Amino acid sequence: MSMREGSAAAGTPISSVNHGQPDPAGRTSVHSFALTILGAGSATPTLGRHPTAQLLTVGNEYMLIDCGEGTQFRLIEQKIRPSRLRYIFISHLHGDHYFGLPPLLSTLNLSGRTEDLYLFGPRGLDEVLTTMFRVSDSRLGYPLHFQPVDPIQPSMLLDHPHLTVESIPLEHRIDCTGYLFQEKPHKLRLLRERLPDDVPVPYLKKLKEGFDILDETGQVLYAAAEFTEAGPPARSYAYCSDTRYNELLIPQLQGVDLLYHEATFLEDNAQRATEVFHSTAQQAATIAAKAGAGRLMIGHFSSRYKRFDSFLLEARAVFPETYLAAEGETLEINKWAH
Ligand SMILES: [Zn+2]
Ligand SMILES: [Zn+2]
């Protein structure tokens, strides 16, 4: 097996749904930033529910967040080719968050992958994988770059052309980190209707970067302020998997557009939640409210619950914009009113 440790390199910019292409109005449209829920259950196997896994698509970039048992089958169900994955983020080493990873890595090998794969997760994950591949005499045909995540301090993990990814230290029974995905600011939008047709393309590029175009004598030919408007706002997603209620998270989550926060229990089990390092729906909502999040998605419900209406009721009493993580659904992350 070839497994390398170190910082993940910035990815190649990849075009996406109209990314960078002028729309009919002559403006620049923006790529998609969407979350697909592959699994939203917790540790005990439950028919019809699957352990945690999520797919974040940013333009054509596919990022997997946690990889519970059977995740590769969830990807097939969603008609997502696993070969499209380039980044995988694992929150912690409880099995319901990573037991799907070794088979997924093996499948990528079987399918002849040669492209780099970047894996972020707690120290120890590398040992698990190395042992599994060693005892099965497997050799990966693709470079797997592992970056251990500091469970104590938030740190910048990835600087990608579309976004940055930071770790969010959580409070769980073992080392556990969430992840904050923040889009980079979008370029300015050109107001093409105000510009003559014959403006050279390099000028247009400079205007979109906010530069004025000057003539040889230093006179302003085209002022960026006159021919551009602000681009679409950058969006953000925070993933907080298993954790106790912890207000230390709030500064890092401030103003996030979509917050996923676990809600393993209802409020009548608040005591138990604290004992086993999990949260209640009301606690998740309190974090969302205090952080000024745009929306909250809750999941990781204990298998003791058969229905989830009460989770919504309890959470919405504190934070009305709360939704259940629904397996198989895709949500386009927007700049919702905060
Ligand atoms: Zn869990
Ligand atoms: Zn856990």
Side-chain angles (χ1 to χ4, degrees), residues 15-181:
S15 66
S16 61
V17 190
N18 268 341
H19 180 53
Q21 301 300 315
D23 67 17
R27 297 173 311 193
T28 302
S29 59
V30 71
H31 56 255
S32 77
F33 188 55
L35 185 71
T36 301
I37 304 300
L38 302 169
S42 56
T44 309
T46 313
L47 274 182
R49 282 152 73 178
H50 302 102
T52 304
Q54 301 185 355
L55 180 79
L56 185 70
T57 54
V58 187
N60 278 352
E61 195 71 84
Y62 283 47
M63 300 182 169
L64 185 65
I65 310 170
D66 274 342
C67 188
E69 185 178 343
T71 294
Q72 57 178 337
F73 297 101
R74 308 284 87 72
L75 290 169
I76 293 167
E77 275 170 10
Q78 294 296 314
K79 301 191 168 39
I80 296 158
R81 279 183 288 121
S83 59
R84 301 207 48 181
L85 296 170
R86 194 144 66 117
Y87 299 99
I88 300 178
F89 300 87
I90 300 295
S91 65
H92 67 302
L93 295 184
H94 282 154
D96 55 319
H97 296 260
Y98 88 104
F99 278 175
L101 185 62
L104 175 64
L105 298 180
S106 299
T107 300
L108 292 175
N109 208 31
L110 283 174
S111 60
R113 183 188 181 100
T114 53
E115 297 85 17
D116 293 12
L117 184 69
Y118 298 92
L119 174 64
F120 301 83
R123 174 65 74 194
L125 180 56
D126 47 343
E127 274 178 61
V128 172
L129 295 175
T130 303
T131 303
M132 291 187 82
F133 287 117
R134 178 173 53 78
V135 297
S136 61
D137 192 23
S138 302
R139 283 167 220 286
L140 290 188
Y142 57 91
L144 177 60
H145 305 273
F146 174 67
Q147 186 173 344
V149 178
D150 182 343
I152 309 295
Q153 291 294 331
S155 50
M156 178 67 73
L157 301 174
L158 179 64
D159 186 0
H160 180 277
H162 287 338
L163 81 169
T164 57
V165 186
E166 283 173 32
S167 60
I168 308 171
L170 301 173
E171 188 184 359
H172 199 39
R173 194 161 56 74
I174 58 172
D175 289 347
C176 185
T177 47
Y179 297 98
L180 176 63
F181 301 83

Side-chain angles (χ1 to χ4, degrees), residues 150-219:
D150 182 343
I152 309 295
Q153 291 294 331
S155 50
M156 178 67 73
L157 301 174
L158 179 64
D159 186 0
H160 180 277
H162 287 338
L163 81 169
T164 57
V165 186
E166 283 173 32
S167 60
I168 308 171
L170 301 173
E171 188 184 359
H172 199 39
R173 194 161 56 74
I174 58 172
D175 289 347
C176 185
T177 47
Y179 297 98
L180 176 63
F181 301 83
Q182 284 181 298
E183 270 193 311
K184 291 186 174 173
H186 294 114
K187 284 187 178 161
L188 297 170
R189 275 179 161 160
L190 277 182
L191 298 169
R192 283 179 180 268
E193 63 279 11
R194 291 195 191 166
L195 282 162
D197 290 339
D198 57 351
V199 179
V201 170
Y203 286 11
L204 299 178
K205 283 189 176 166
K206 285 291 171 201
L207 284 170
K208 278 168 74 172
E209 289 166 7
F211 292 106
D212 294 340
I213 307 298
L214 309 180
D215 67 12
E216 309 81 53
T217 66
Q219 295 296 309

